[in-house]
Amino acid sequence: MRWRFRLISDLAVAWAGHRVLLAALIAFTAIWIAVGLSFSFPRQWFLLTNMVGTLITFFILLLVQHSQNRDMKALHTKLDELIRSSEAGNHWIAAEKKDVGAIEDMRQQHQDQIPENRA
């Protein structure tokens, strides 16, 4: 089930980010306005437009957030492996899971080790 959601999510995000979708949305908007003009824009027309727009926006937001979360987890995993295989201190591994104060302390410690004349 999880891999199906990932597959559907990846396809939806790729489709939503495709440039052909922009042209399709412009054409759909023009048709929507033309049909609305022919019916003199009844009140239900505006309610339906608002509801559909809100639902689509919410759906795309969730898909993009899911995709970004997965990408960030993969990026953090790759960075952790680079830290493990390098001469960097292992205390940097999983720094994103620490609280803000600890991250700021680690950043300040790193800044203190950089020579002043370095640009």
Side-chain angles (χ1 to χ4, degrees), residues 23-39 41 45 49:
L25 286 174
I26 290 171
F28 178 76
T29 303
I31 292 169
W32 186 262
I33 290 172
V35 172
L37 281 171
S38 69
F39 288 118
F41 291 110
W45 193 264
T49 303

Side-chain angles (χ1 to χ4, degrees), residues 95-109:
E96 72 277 1
K97 294 179 182 176
K98 298 182 179 179
D99 63 9
V100 176
I103 292 173
E104 185 59 31
D105 291 342
M106 291 169 68
R107 190 189 68 75
Q108 190 62 41
Q109 177 187 7

Side-chain angles (χ1 to χ4, degrees), residues 34 64 111:
V64 169
Q111 289 297 106

Side-chain angles (χ1 to χ4, degrees), residues 52-70:
V52 170
T54 302
L55 288 175
I56 289 173
T57 302
F58 186 67
F59 178 68
I60 296 296
L61 174 75
L62 290 176
L63 283 175
V64 169
Q65 187 66 42
H66 173 75
S67 177
Q68 284 181 338
N69 285 343
R70 195 176 64 247

Side-chain angles (χ1 to χ4, degrees), residues 8-19:
I8 292 169
S9 173
D10 288 344
L11 289 173
V13 168
W15 179 74
H18 201 274
R19 64 177 180 247

